[in-house]
Amino acid sequence: MRRLTHNLPFWGLLPAWLLMGFALILPILIIAAVSLATRGSHGGFSWDFNLSGYSQILFNEGWSGELEFTPQYLLIIGRTYLLAGLTTLICLVFALPVAWYISRQSPGMRALLVYLVTLPFWVSMILRVYAWMIILGKDGPLPRFLENFGLAPGTSFMFNDGATLVAMVYTCMPLMVLPIYASIEKLDLTLIEASHDLHGNRLTTFRRVILPLTAPGIISGAILVFVPSLGAVLEPVLMGGGKQMMMGSLIQLQFGGGRNWPFGAAIAMVLMGLVMLLLIFTALRAARRQAGMEATA
Amino acid sequence: MKNLFTASVLALCAATAAKAEGQLNLYVWAESFSPELIEKFSKEHDVKVNVDGYTSNEDLLTKLQAGSSGYDISTPSQHFLRIMIDEGLIQNYEASKLKAYELIDPRWKNQWWDETQSYSIPVAYGTAGFAVNTNEYTGPLDSLSYFFEPEAPLAGKIAMLSYPDEVVGAAQLYLGVPFCSEDSDEMKKVYDLLAAQKPSVAAYSSDNIASRLASGEVAAHFWWDGEELKARVNGAPFAYALPKEGLVGWIDSMVIPNGAPNYENAIKFIEFMSEPENATEQMNYYAHSSPMTLVADKVVYTREKAPELYPEVPVEFSRTCSPAAQDLVNRVWTQLLQ
């Protein structure tokens, strides 16, 4: 009996472990293994150990046939991070006031607004991107609207980095609003009053009181937006015109037209490794902050 | 180890894969088969037909390489069909012993992609090239130069496919570089051409082509003859360029992937699609040429009505490239979109 209760945490968590194991860890292990395999001549791979998947990220044969340093993949990785970072930043700037506004409403209104924020999730993501293609596209509502004011007649806002960013911010916004809202809702308003009583102006109150107390929500929102943005394929291709590759389309190309699965798997591992570093970094910071708070308490 | 991989994929799929009798799972080019014909087959043979679509040969190849797909019929183009035979991804169903074999136009029998005609029965053929929106562009269409070295009004309003396959082929035709060239100097020229064209390209995309071109978002799009034809006869202001440098040719054939759960039904379907009446109806639906025997007076897309299906310019069929040549194609594409 004692033994059983002792083991209860193990057996109780078993379904979760199985799910993690089969749906997450096993596929990652397979990708890791493929990244170390040898490419097949027409795609596919054979299980011969080979590091060329990784070395190709930095070194490739040039047009002259000699192995040379190729910055193009680093460029793609850098561009992907820039796009994800910008998306996160813009989402944050918009989400903070929205979350604040929602949290200041009556409970009924709050529920309605939160529901409205989650509403886009009910529609397939590809449809939402298509909607933006129509809005920004030639003769779409936005160009027409601007034409009324004599601005930019006949232009299309499609197929550039701005269009990509609009769609990315739009699809990711709820993921930022909801966690921030959750942490603002719990914010004790008397603390803000206390700050004002102590002659803290609006900026100081925001910086020294509101920001630290909502930081957990902001951090989880930022992670929820940043990480999927790194793997975005749809928006850069459909909205940006696919003129500059992102990591997502680069990986896709290697498994498709590139017929170089180990290389594709290696890029996927690098993408994942960079994400893991980021998560570990934030987790460590959170732990330090926690420890700091407990020490002062 | 590879078996273990396949086995685990299989195990995961087993729960969902349809294995019941009276089923047929098609994995074919998106919207390529006439729904009426599928319905007719379904009724005649009491078979439930499931259709999934793909938009590039690469997608199909990757899916078949990943292990048992659960599909009974696929329709790769000739250069991918060759790879699938060589890599052992599809079944030898002794196609040459079927009735369908006798109905293949002799021009398309026993070609390099399936010399013994054991693995495939062709179903459609056509070309890839540039289509234009005639509201946006009324200039000449007789050369690839208008598209690869565009000037106003085409500059900035051209869209290419998101895969190198046929796009690189067209660039090679324009430059006179042989398909599947292993000469990196020649391929560097291809890259230079595409890189110089890039500032004039609005998008590299294989999805949503018809509406992108119809809306005037772009004035020219790399496309396929039948898709352009179908939209044109339905009233879209399109035209298909027949350039003197030539067009990239393709022919799609019905194959049976390894591990197909409904082999018998697949054979029945191949025979069904090849009957002259059905082949004609299929061509009238798909608007691509048929390599099969047709009922001549029922063909809708005749030479008069559909000149794009009867090009008088050279048509060069894509070939199966060696890995070295394929790597050069990829280098062109990755550098282009880096």
Side-chain angles (χ1 to χ4, degrees), chain A residues 95-135:
Chain A
L96 264 174
V98 170
W100 182 266
Y101 177 78
I102 296 176
S103 68
R104 294 287 80 94
Q105 305 303 311
S106 68
M109 192 64 182
R110 253 183 275 169
L112 177 72
L113 290 175
V114 168
Y115 167 74
L116 285 180
V117 168
T118 57
L119 200 61
F121 285 131
W122 293 80
V123 181
S124 139
M125 174 159 143
I126 194 155
L127 283 182
R128 284 182 275 151
V129 175
Y130 269 71
W132 273 108
M133 288 166 63
I134 294 170
I135 294 172

Side-chain angles (χ1 to χ4, degrees), chain B residues 22 74 89 92 126-127 147 161 229 236 262 324 327:
Chain B
S74 277
L89 298 172
N92 176 345
T127 61
F147 306 102
L161 300 182
L229 169 62
N262 308 290
D327 275 354

Side-chain angles (χ1 to χ4, degrees), chain A residues 37 150 277:
Chain A
L277 277 181

Side-chain angles (χ1 to χ4, degrees), chain B residues 172 177-187 321-326 328:
Chain B
Q172 286 168 325
V177 170
F179 284 0
C180 296
S181 168
E182 294 183 19
D183 180 338
S184 65
D185 290 339
E186 282 182 340
M187 291 307 284
C321 294
S322 68
Q326 190 62 35
L328 285 173

Side-chain angles (χ1 to χ4, degrees), chain A residues 22 26 30 34 39 41-47 61-65 70 72-73 75-76 79 130 133 137-139 156-159 237-238 240-245 250 252-259 261, chain B residues 1-2 5 8 58 61-62 65-66 80 83 87 136 157 163-164 184-185 187-188 191 198 201-205 207-208 212 215-218 320-323 326-328 330-338:
Chain A
F22 277 104
L26 184 70
I30 291 175
V34 172
R39 64 183 289 200
S41 47
H42 295 292
F45 56 90
S46 60
W47 290 116
E61 261 182 37
W63 290 110
S64 58
T70 40
Q72 60 208 47
Y73 299 119
L75 206 69
I76 293 172
R79 180 186 303 131
Y130 269 71
M133 288 166 63
K138 190 167 180 283
D139 298 328
S156 151
F157 294 93
M158 286 293 293
F159 308 135
V237 170
L238 289 177
K243 278 177 281 190
Q244 291 188 315
M245 262 190 246
L250 181 65
Q252 198 185 27
L253 180 71
Q254 298 317 318
F255 281 91
R259 300 186 207 160
W261 291 22
Chain B
M1 191 60 191
K2 190 160 181 175
F5 177 64
S8 53
E58 316 285 2
L61 179 65
T62 306
Q65 277 168 334
F80 281 76
I83 294 174
E87 300 270 302
E136 305 283 327
K157 302 207 76 178
Y163 273 110
S184 65
D185 290 339
M187 291 307 284
K188 174 79 166 57
Y191 166 72
K198 190 178 175 186
V201 176
Y204 294 87
S205 172
D207 303 302
N208 207 27
R212 193 176 300 118
S215 70
E217 191 80 61
V218 298
T320 308
C321 294
S322 68
Q326 190 62 35
D327 275 354
L328 285 173
N330 292 330
R331 193 180 304 165
V332 167
W333 204 250
T334 318
Q335 289 207 2
L336 182 66
L337 301 184
Q338 73 179 15

